[in-house]
Amino acid sequence: MDRRQHRRAGGTVVAAGVLLALGTGVTGCSGSGVAAEDVKGAGDPVATLHRAADALRAAGSSKAGTSMEMATGGTRVTIRGKGVYDYRRRLGRLTVVLPEDPTGTSEHRPITELLAPGALFMKNRGAGVPADKWVRVETATLSDGNLVTGGATDPYAAAEVLRGTREAVFVGRTEVAGTAVRHYRGTADLRRAARYASAANRAALAAAAKGFAAAEVPFDAYLDDQGRIRKLRQRFSFVNGRQKATVAVASTLLLYDFGAPADVRLPAPRDIYAGRIAEEGGTGGGA
């Protein structure tokens, strides 16, 4: 990723910055062993996945759990998050826990992230940012469109990636946290997703389509009988500018308790930090 681009954005990469320092189906076909009646009930997989974001919007809100794994040079690190999301206002709040150091000691306080149309706000960012201030990042200026930067993929943006689904298969019925779901596996194209995404996510997904090593995103999606995402695992790939190595990222999203209150308030302008931000590891960066 372009580190200078992240400096200009004012918020150095949380996921990529921390972790990199550590180092086909045919549309409508069924998977092996899937009962014919299950395939019929699943409908057209591609069309169903295209509508997944709309189903979330109709649901209104939910709680969310996130997990992001990065692997490079034999090192694998995981960042986890938990919070709530309002799909109609496109606002979310997550508490993101960074990985422990190699000795098993946690070196980082949890980071509070606010997800908003076109922006990511981070508190407890560290690296010289006052404790009572927020860092604001314009997601369209990030080379990954904030699908990776914050250490958690915005739930609605992740759903809109599915609007770019070109091919998918119905794998079968299963359960996620006790809820009956249909499992789909396929590949989405970020360029197509950007074309059909909501106005709020269009620019960010277009940036990701250009910034990732590949615009194709393999995924496994688990939808309930209302077409709502219960679990979504997406695999991204980008080039580590420091080592010129391809980095594999697996982002997993769990959605539950639909209709749960999601009162998310964005920080006032006076609470947003406008100074210089130091990179992880002590190198400087500018806002």
Side-chain angles (χ1 to χ4, degrees):
M1 288 187 178
D2 186 340
R3 291 164 64 85
R4 292 172 297 177
Q5 185 176 22
H6 287 285
R7 289 196 186 102
R8 289 196 298 270
T12 54
V13 182
V14 174
V18 173
L19 297 181
L20 293 182
L22 302 175
T24 78
V26 178
T27 300
C29 291
S30 65
S32 174
V34 179
E37 57 269 24
D38 283 344
V39 175
K40 184 177 180 180
D44 175 14
V46 172
T48 298
L49 293 162
H50 285 173
R51 296 191 296 266
D54 298 328
L56 291 184
R57 183 175 173 83
S61 64
S62 77
K63 294 182 180 179
T66 66
S67 173
M68 185 168 287
E69 301 173 359
M70 244 181 221
T72 180
T75 300
R76 183 179 298 275
V77 185
T78 302
I79 292 176
R80 302 187 187 279
K82 184 175 290 187
V84 295
Y85 200 94
D86 183 330
Y87 301 103
R88 292 173 183 163
R89 298 171 62 211
R90 316 287 169 83
L91 296 176
R93 182 179 62 253
L94 295 173
T95 299
V96 176
V97 180
L98 300 179
E100 298 177 339
D101 71 4
T103 66
T105 302
S106 178
E107 293 184 319
H108 309 278
R109 290 183 300 167
I111 295 175
T112 301
E113 296 187 358
L114 300 181
L115 309 169
L120 166 68
F121 299 84
M122 295 180 287
K123 197 171 188 179
N124 292 340
R125 170 61 182 82
V129 179
D132 61 341
K133 296 293 184 181
W134 295 84
V135 171
R136 186 181 194 276
V137 182
E138 298 287 342
T139 55
T141 67
L142 300 174
S143 61
D144 71 306
N146 193 38
L147 293 176
V148 172
T149 290
T153 305
D154 180 305
Y156 196 76
E160 292 225 279
V161 169
L162 296 181
R163 295 191 191 277
T165 300
R166 290 194 178 277
E167 53 187 21
V169 297
F170 171 58
V171 178
R173 290 181 178 272
T174 185
E175 288 189 357
V176 172
T179 298
V181 294
R182 292 185 174 96
H183 177 193
Y184 300 90
R185 178 173 295 141
T187 302
D189 186 299
L190 288 169
R191 293 161 295 197
R192 179 182 175 87
R195 193 156 57 244
Y196 293 104
S198 62
N201 285 325
R202 200 168 296 147
L205 292 179
K210 296 178 181 178
F212 280 127
E216 291 72 32
V217 179
F219 66 83
D220 283 87
Y222 301 79
L223 276 56
D224 63 19
D225 290 339
Q226 286 74 49
R228 303 173 301 192
I229 295 169
R230 291 291 182 151
K231 179 179 179 180
L232 177 60
R233 184 173 177 83
Q234 296 170 319
R235 292 171 288 283
F236 306 109
S237 177
F238 65 88
V239 176
N240 177 359
R242 186 180 306 169
Q243 300 173 356
K244 303 300 181 184
T246 300
V247 181
V249 181
S251 175
T252 302
L253 176 67
L254 294 173
L255 302 179
Y256 55 101
D257 284 359
F258 285 98
D263 183 16
V264 180
R265 300 183 183 183
L266 300 182
R270 65 178 179 276
D271 295 325
I272 299 174
Y273 183 64
R276 291 176 63 82
I277 301 170
E279 296 273 2
E280 295 289 341
T283 56

